[in-house]
Amino acid sequence: MVTETAPVNNGVALRLKSLHKPGDPLVFTNIYDAASTNAVISLNKASPCLVKALATTSYGIANTFSVPDAALTLNQNLAGIQKIAPIARSAGLPLTVDLQDGYGEFLDTSVYRIIRAGAVGANIEDSYPEKGFGHGMSCLRSVEESAERIRLVIRYAAQVELPDFVVNARTDVLRLKPNPEGWTREMMIQEVVKRGKAFLEAGATCVFVWGGAAGEVTKEEIQLLVKEFNGRLAVKLADGRDGLSVKELTELGVCRVSMGAGLYSDDMDALQKKAERILKGGQLWVEAE
């Protein structure tokens, strides 16, 4: 039996949960280390309350250890989170973390340890990180198992006095490439609806429908999912030029928008370009990137 309480009280979890408002979404510019955390938090100096909460990206944390996202261990993920959590706490901002699938059989340990680090929420996905996305529905846990894992996360959090721990339940049905044999896009969307409703019934705050790195979920699909989930839909901001903006997603009625690895990838791309320019004899200053 776990008796140790969380370093942050349930009021912080409630505050995070209350920020998930359909049509007025909580927007995350996901962070991955102390530097990115401080950079994002600093925005509140010029624009108070612009940053309302913080969320990590496991992809970014994995890259700080030079390992693929799917190979990120619980200890590595925690080491990254433990650098971020004290900064979030000092800034008075709720922290939610990317816990991947909850680390298989170590779900209870994973939840207790991120809470002890200072998290009041987590992403929990229904896929197996080690299986990838190329082998159809076998890459995903069953609806029943995934929903039960969400119930367990909430139960474990309640045992350390965080009954309102926020679960952003991610389904990776639309990430499967190629489509499962015989499945149309419409069938996959219906599977997303089935899973999402089960996850919400299990206690998830919202359902994160991930379409891959580029955020491949169409406007029409988002409209349908917002309706099916009563607005409790989380999406990733699409990478492409034609992707929907935060404003457009707000108008569609989602409750949460995140960037995933977007900031990390942009940061590394900018660093590489500047380093190359300097090493080839150029200036540090440049008019436009």
Side-chain angles (χ1 to χ4, degrees):
M1 172 67 70
V2 174
T3 57
E4 183 178 351
T5 58
V8 288
N9 64 45
N10 192 59
V12 181
L14 274 171
R15 179 150 60 95
L16 177 61
K17 185 174 286 189
S18 72
L19 292 170
H20 291 74
K21 301 174 185 176
D24 183 17
L26 177 58
V27 181
F28 287 114
T29 51
N30 300 70
I31 52 178
Y32 52 89
D33 63 7
S36 60
T37 303
N38 282 318
V40 170
I41 288 173
S42 70
L43 297 173
N44 279 347
K45 293 179 181 178
S47 302
C49 299
L50 181 64
V51 180
K52 298 179 176 67
L54 298 170
T56 67
T57 161
S58 65
Y59 181 93
I61 290 177
N63 275 273
T64 67
F65 288 98
S66 298
V67 299
D69 190 15
L72 181 69
T73 67
L74 173 58
N75 283 339
Q76 288 171 327
N77 200 354
L78 280 164
I81 292 166
Q82 286 165 348
K83 294 175 183 177
I84 292 166
I87 304 171
R89 196 154 54 245
S90 282
L93 296 175
L95 174 66
T96 180
V97 302
D98 186 345
L99 199 54
Q100 300 191 331
D101 73 327
Y103 292 93
E105 63 184 299
F106 302 106
L107 182 63
D108 55 348
T109 300
S110 301
V111 173
Y112 295 142
R113 292 182 69 185
I114 63 167
I115 288 174
R116 284 199 293 269
V120 293
N123 280 21
I124 301 290
E125 59 203 47
D126 61 1
S127 58
Y128 297 95
E130 69 275 10
K131 290 188 177 182
F133 301 103
H135 304 287
M137 294 299 290
S138 67
C139 298
L140 308 182
R141 287 185 165 85
S142 70
V143 179
E144 296 76 15
E145 182 184 1
S146 297
E148 178 59 20
R149 288 173 70 81
I150 291 167
R151 281 189 284 269
L152 287 172
V153 169
I154 294 168
R155 185 185 308 165
Y156 297 147
Q159 289 175 352
V160 287
E161 300 184 13
L162 280 185
D164 290 289
F165 187 83
V166 171
V167 175
N168 184 37
R170 191 179 101 180
T171 180
D172 291 341
V173 173
L174 299 185
R175 181 64 181 85
L176 301 175
K177 301 294 180 190
N179 289 4
E181 187 174 354
W183 286 53
T184 63
R185 181 73 173 189
E186 291 73 22
M187 292 169 67
M188 294 177 75
I189 290 293
Q190 287 308 308
E191 179 68 15
V192 168
V193 171
K194 175 183 174 182
R195 286 173 175 261
K197 288 184 173 181
F199 298 169
L200 291 172
E201 186 177 347
T205 299
C206 53
V207 179
F208 179 18
V209 178
W210 191 49
E216 301 161 3
V217 186
T218 69
K219 179 179 180 180
E220 293 71 25
E221 290 167 347
I222 290 172
Q223 287 174 319
L224 184 152
L225 295 171
V226 165
K227 180 179 178 181
E228 293 286 352
F229 300 154
N230 294 319
R232 294 165 66 184
L233 175 68
V235 296
K236 178 185 176 296
L237 195 64
D239 295 347
R241 181 182 295 273
D242 297 326
L244 297 170
S245 67
V246 171
K247 181 180 178 181
E248 290 169 319
L249 291 168
T250 298
E251 292 169 351
L252 289 173
V254 307
C255 73
R256 175 168 170 156
V257 179
S258 58
M259 289 187 64
L263 280 185
Y264 172 82
S265 299
D266 288 348
D267 289 349
M268 294 305 104
D269 184 59
L271 187 153
Q272 185 181 50
K273 287 178 179 178
K274 289 180 179 180
E276 181 181 27
R277 182 174 68 246
I278 292 164
L279 291 169
K280 288 183 175 179
Q283 291 180 285
L284 177 60
W285 177 89
V286 64
E287 185 172 352
E289 292 292 347

